[in-house]
Amino acid sequence: MRVEEAGKVGEVADTLLLDAALESIPYGFCVWSPQFRLVMWNKHYRDFYGFAPDAIHRGMTLEDVVHLSARLGNHPGQGPEAFYEHYTSELLANRDGARAKSQEVVTGGRIIETAHIYTDKLGWVVTHEDITEEIARSESLQKRKLELERQNIRLDAAVNNISIGLCMMDARGRLVICNEPYARIYNLPVTLLRPGTQLEDILGHLFDSGMSSSGTKQEYIAWRREVIAKREYGKNIHELNNRTILMQHHPMKDGGWVSTHEDITEQRQAEARIRHLARHDALTDLPNRIEFLEQMASTEAAVQRGEMAAVLYIDLDHFKAVNDTLGHAVGDEVIKQAAVRLWGTTRETDLLARLGGDEFAILLRPIDGVDMAAKVADRIVKAMRAPMNIGGQQIEIGASVGIAVGPGDGSRTDQLVKNADLALYKAKSEGRSTYHFFETGMDAELQQRRSIEAGLRMAMQREELRLMFQPLLGVNENRITCVEALLRWDHDERTIPPAEFVPVAEETGLIVPIGEWVLHEACRAAASWPDWVRVAVNLSPVQFRNRDLVGQVKSALGAARLEPTRLELEITESLLLTDSEATIAALHALRDMGVRICMDDFGTGYSSLSYLRSFPFDKIKIDRTFMRDLTSRNDSRAIIKAVIGLGQSLGMVTTAEGVETEEQLAMVREYGVSEVQGFLFSPPLQANTLANLLHSEAAKAQARRKAS
């Protein structure tokens, strides 16, 4: 193929080389000046439209070419004027350097795809390709598009119109053409940009300017010549003055080549950042679970040789309550501060990771013995015990730690991780804010817990839950004044104690639907009792995280048609640990309805007296642990006497739990207690048994009134 009417383009050798490059392009090619005059074209262009060799010439207007094309049968169904107006509008709209594509129909029904791009120096560079077969055969379309893209790179090199650096060299290693990005990437002087410049001169300048190379300048040039001699496509990444440059080598049939050069420094930095994020936690920038497990795996060989390493699993105590009550923004700050504190407990050789949520892990490597792991765990517990100041709020959480030490507790990653997790569960079950080493048998405990959790999820559906009721005796009234509803679970032919399943229900959130069921059942039962008898229901702190708790209480009272004054809700001091505004607001809303609020297990917490100031409780229940030692310990008697006196001065009802002997009853009666509860009067009763007892007492009371 010969480029026709191309004019004079530099030296003869350069012109021939450019002609050869364009003739190797397997599609039509033409250039329209900004004034819509024909600048250059090739034989494929004439063949596509059926132009005779002498039918078109340099300087011919686009309008004349369009009319000629229409007379030859091209663009059927569209007049030359309409086609010309549409085509020129399309060209004028594309002068921002972008490549625009469209399709044309020529004589014989062939479909030609045109692609044009505008440059200030040339005008519109247009390529034409017959894509009839590609449209008919979709499977080959992609291959031809890829081929088109490769050919487009050569075309762009010829017309100096690509955004990446590009240069064309002839078979003798002399510069034919290069573009501005190429000169800018390498900061080449003008003297090295002239056609005919030898490759060795350019390479020597690059080497002297800081091109990274493991050898001398001569070795670097020899290596580049070796790449060229192979006459194969090649790709290489090199460094120049702290910049990363991707170079691609494209050999040509005549022995020359085109090379592209792209500064990929930012791309490499972004890729490195992505790789970092894939293995690190976005909030704390600590290694994540993936990185932690891989580092663990790399430690396996040393552990299997007998070297000691420890895995510490860490869980933040009370974090979910903070997150739910104070919001995720505060929760994120807690996580970040916790990460800083945990990092302060480690050595340079240790690995701290955030596994997700409020879970962290530390790999201690190497260690001399289990004492070192215990010391680190102790530092963690103490560090996390200190209050955090976030946004002016004092937040107290804490941390529980589980420890597994290899090779004794396992030599494989999965064993150590699993055993550390089991030890963590044990630490949490023992009251939190402590640490525990793995012990044989913990797996069985975990399986039992999982069995309980799975059973609880089906308990209500299978009607395995039931309520028992234990009466409270009014000392002055000498009759039952209140009844506490106690939850029982009959599962697998045994009754599971609340102490065994309630913590699991709280940890999993199942206590919310279970607690709602208890409210409805207790209110429904109480509706059939005498009017002076109240029902007491225990509420978990987890239930207060449900913003609809007040609505649930209203629903239970309404469904049972029970007066709110006959319902008592018992809460523990742990509910008030965070002093949440939402919690206090919910308590006030319940009390405004007429529901009575009782503090259960009074005296077992750390700040009982301060809690009595934070909310006007209707009742305080003295924990049974004080009652157990009432007759044998003076301090227990003093505490109970003081609590009863405190309740009287604050106008609160006081209830003594765990009264089991006449001597205990006589003593608390003397101190002025309002109510007593315990096996001395009645154990927990079935609902129908309690109902019969209450109605029997009511009938006796009515008979006494009539007799008097």
Side-chain angles (χ1 to χ4, degrees):
M1 177 178 64
R2 182 179 62 83
V3 178
E4 304 176 45
E5 306 296 341
K8 295 180 179 180
V9 184
E11 298 178 358
V12 174
D14 296 340
T15 301
L16 292 175
L17 184 60
L18 183 58
D19 287 346
L22 296 178
E23 287 174 0
S24 69
I25 300 173
Y27 45 77
F29 166 77
C30 70
V31 177
W32 295 100
S33 74
Q35 293 77 33
F36 297 133
R37 291 186 176 275
L38 189 60
V39 177
M40 66 178 70
W41 64 95
N42 66 2
K43 184 176 182 298
H44 275 307
Y45 171 73
R46 287 192 297 98
D47 292 344
F48 282 151
Y49 294 97
F51 297 144
D54 57 351
I56 57 177
H57 56 82
R58 179 182 175 87
M60 190 173 182
T61 66
L62 174 60
E63 185 175 12
D64 290 341
V65 173
V66 168
H67 279 81
L68 174 62
S69 179
R71 290 195 297 273
L72 294 173
N74 298 314
H75 320 124
Q78 190 175 16
E81 291 81 6
F83 180 83
Y84 175 75
E85 182 178 352
H86 171 76
Y87 192 59
T88 54
S89 298
E90 188 178 89
L91 292 178
L92 289 171
N94 182 39
R95 288 185 291 184
D96 58 357
R99 184 180 297 278
K101 293 183 178 181
S102 62
Q103 294 181 0
E104 300 176 9
V105 179
V106 298
T107 182
R110 307 296 290 177
I111 300 173
I112 304 299
E113 181 179 79
T114 66
H116 52 81
I117 188 168
Y118 182 81
T119 66
D120 294 333
K121 295 180 180 179
L122 292 177
W124 289 275
V125 178
V126 188
T127 59
H128 306 256
E129 183 182 17
D130 189 336
I131 60 171
T132 308
E133 284 72 18
E134 283 79 356
I135 292 177
R137 295 176 297 172
S138 60
E139 184 174 334
S140 64
L141 179 61
Q142 187 63 29
K143 183 184 295 184
R144 291 189 62 83
K145 284 185 176 181
L146 292 174
E147 178 62 22
L148 177 62
E149 290 299 325
R150 285 194 291 269
Q151 297 295 344
N152 281 342
I153 291 176
R154 299 179 185 177
L155 175 62
D156 289 342
V159 297
N160 190 30
N161 192 52
I162 60 173
S163 60
I164 61 177
L166 182 145
C167 75
M168 178 185 290
M169 309 294 291
D170 64 17
R172 297 170 64 182
R174 297 178 303 177
L175 179 65
V176 176
I177 189 173
C178 67
N179 64 0
E180 292 180 4
Y182 174 78
R184 185 172 59 252
I185 287 174
Y186 294 112
N187 194 26
L188 293 173
V190 176
T191 55
L192 294 179
L193 300 177
R194 296 171 183 152
T197 301
Q198 290 292 329
L199 173 65
E200 282 78 0
D201 295 336
I202 297 175
L203 295 179
H205 174 81
L206 295 181
F207 187 89
D208 294 338
S209 300
M211 177 72 75
S212 62
S213 176
S214 58
T216 64
K217 180 191 297 187
Q218 289 71 26
E219 289 172 338
Y220 170 68
I221 295 174
W223 165 79
R224 187 76 181 94
R225 279 296 186 185
E226 183 180 347
V227 172
I228 295 168
K230 289 181 179 179
R231 299 190 50 74
E232 296 177 353
Y233 167 79
K235 182 186 294 186
N236 175 257
I237 293 176
H238 54 263
E239 302 290 331
L240 176 63
N241 298 326
N242 297 320
R243 306 297 291 177
T244 304
I245 300 169
L246 169 65
M247 182 185 70
Q248 299 186 70
H249 177 80
H250 304 265
M252 295 170 58
K253 292 181 179 179
D254 63 356
W257 68 91
V258 173
S259 62
T260 60
H261 307 257
E262 184 177 4
D263 189 332
I264 60 171
T265 308
E266 285 74 18
Q267 176 185 333
R268 281 298 180 92
Q269 291 171 347
E271 291 172 352
R273 179 61 179 164
I274 291 172
R275 288 193 298 271
H276 179 83
L277 290 176
R279 296 178 174 275
H280 289 76
D281 172 54
L283 183 62
T284 63
D285 204 38
L286 292 175
N288 61 14
R289 183 183 295 273
I290 295 173
E291 179 69 9
F292 182 78
L293 292 179
E294 287 197 3
Q295 292 277 357
M296 280 283 299
S298 67
T299 309
E300 275 189 5
V303 174
Q304 290 170 358
R305 289 195 304 268
E307 296 182 17
M308 294 184 69
V311 178
L312 278 63
Y313 258 39
I314 305 152
D315 188 83
L316 303 186
D317 300 330
H318 312 299
F319 173 76
K320 192 173 190 307
V322 172
N323 211 32
D324 291 344
T325 56
L326 300 181
H328 294 293
V330 174
D332 286 349
E333 287 302 315
V334 169
I335 291 294
K336 288 192 280 189
Q337 288 198 22
V340 172
R341 293 186 183 187
L342 291 173
W343 182 81
T345 66
T346 61
R347 306 166 301 172
E348 290 185 5
T349 57
D350 300 333
L351 175 68
L352 169 64
R354 184 189 178 201
L355 304 183
D358 61 340
E359 295 182 356
F360 295 83
I362 297 177
L363 173 61
L364 302 180
R365 55 182 181 182
I367 59 173
D368 298 329
V370 295
D371 290 347
M372 181 176 292
K375 289 178 181 178
V376 174
D378 188 57
R379 288 202 300 267
I380 291 171
V381 172
K382 290 178 179 177
M384 298 307 300
R385 205 174 270 158
M388 294 181 179
N389 190 325
I390 298 177
Q393 298 185 82
Q394 289 287 106
I395 297 175
E396 298 183 10
I397 50 173
S400 301
V401 184
I403 309 170
V405 180
D409 295 335
S411 57
R412 299 196 317 271
T413 295
D414 56 345
Q415 288 177 315
L416 286 172
V417 167
K418 174 185 175 183
N419 292 341
D421 195 25
L422 290 171
L424 172 61
Y425 173 72
K426 185 67 173 179
K428 290 166 64 177
S429 67
E430 291 186 349
R432 303 175 186 269
S433 290
T434 186
Y435 64 88
H436 206 291
F437 281 90
F438 170 76
E439 297 172 355
T440 303
M442 285 183 174
D443 196 20
E445 293 180 21
L446 180 61
Q447 293 300 327
Q448 174 67 12
R449 181 197 178 281
R450 288 175 176 167
S451 175
I452 290 175
E453 179 181 341
L456 271 178
R457 295 188 183 278
M458 301 294 293
M460 286 193 292
Q461 181 179 334
R462 294 173 177 171
E463 298 183 350
E464 295 177 345
L465 300 178
R466 59 184 173 88
L467 294 183
M468 298 288 284
F469 299 91
Q470 187 171 28
L472 282 71
L473 183 70
V475 175
N476 294 331
E477 298 86 348
N478 197 30
R479 67 181 180 187
I480 298 174
T481 53
C482 185
V483 176
E484 182 177 2
L486 302 171
L487 182 61
R488 297 292 184 267
W489 178 27
D490 299 322
H491 180 65
D492 285 346
E493 299 182 353
R494 75 182 183 100
T495 299
I496 300 178
E500 192 172 329
F501 73 82
V502 168
V504 177
E506 289 181 326
E507 288 179 19
T508 58
L510 292 171
I511 196 66
V512 174
I514 291 174
E516 185 176 4
W517 177 85
V518 170
L519 273 171
H520 278 267
E521 289 297 304
C523 290
R524 185 178 62 82
S528 64
W529 301 341
D531 292 345
W532 66 81
V533 181
R534 302 182 303 277
V535 64
V537 177
N538 290 278
L539 289 184
S540 164
V542 179
Q543 290 175 265
F544 277 81
R545 298 173 196 161
N546 180 4
R547 300 184 184 276
D548 195 36
L549 175 62
V550 176
Q552 289 181 2
V553 174
K554 285 182 180 178
S555 174
L557 290 169
R561 298 184 179 180
L562 184 71
E563 289 295 323
T565 54
R566 294 185 58 199
L567 175 63
E568 289 186 359
L569 297 178
E570 298 185 2
I571 66 172
T572 58
E573 299 173 21
S574 60
L575 176 64
L576 302 175
L577 275 173
T578 59
D579 193 24
S580 164
E581 292 183 6
T583 298
I584 299 298
L587 290 173
H588 278 291
L590 292 169
R591 200 165 188 270
D592 291 344
M593 289 165 49
V595 175
R596 295 163 62 88
I597 307 298
C598 169
M599 179 182 283
D600 197 9
D601 300 335
F602 183 78
T604 59
Y606 295 103
S607 306
S608 298
L609 295 180
S610 65
Y611 294 146
L612 293 183
R613 297 177 58 192
S614 65
F615 184 80
F617 289 92
D618 297 288
K619 179 193 288 189
I620 52 179
K621 296 182 75 173
I622 306 169
D623 189 69
R624 65 182 68 248
T625 56
F626 298 106
M627 191 61 58
R628 189 181 305 121
D629 301 323
L630 180 62
T631 58
S632 60
R633 293 183 56 169
N634 292 331
D635 54 355
S636 292
R637 288 195 292 272
I639 291 172
I640 291 179
K641 187 175 181 180
V643 172
I644 294 173
L646 179 64
Q648 290 173 338
S649 64
L650 295 176
M652 299 178 183
V653 173
T654 53
T655 299
E657 294 183 295
V659 178
E660 298 181 355
T661 67
E662 291 289 349
E663 187 178 4
Q664 291 173 336
L665 173 60
M667 296 181 74
V668 296
R669 187 195 297 271
E670 179 185 347
Y671 297 154
V673 77
S674 308
E675 292 177 335
V676 288
Q677 179 182 5
F679 279 78
L680 178 63
F681 310 103
S682 174
L685 304 173
Q686 298 279 0
N688 56 350
T689 303
L690 173 67
N692 292 336
L693 174 62
L694 292 175
H695 289 299
S696 174
E697 283 197 356
K700 291 178 182 178
Q702 186 176 8
R704 286 195 296 270
R705 284 196 299 271
K706 288 181 179 180
S708 61

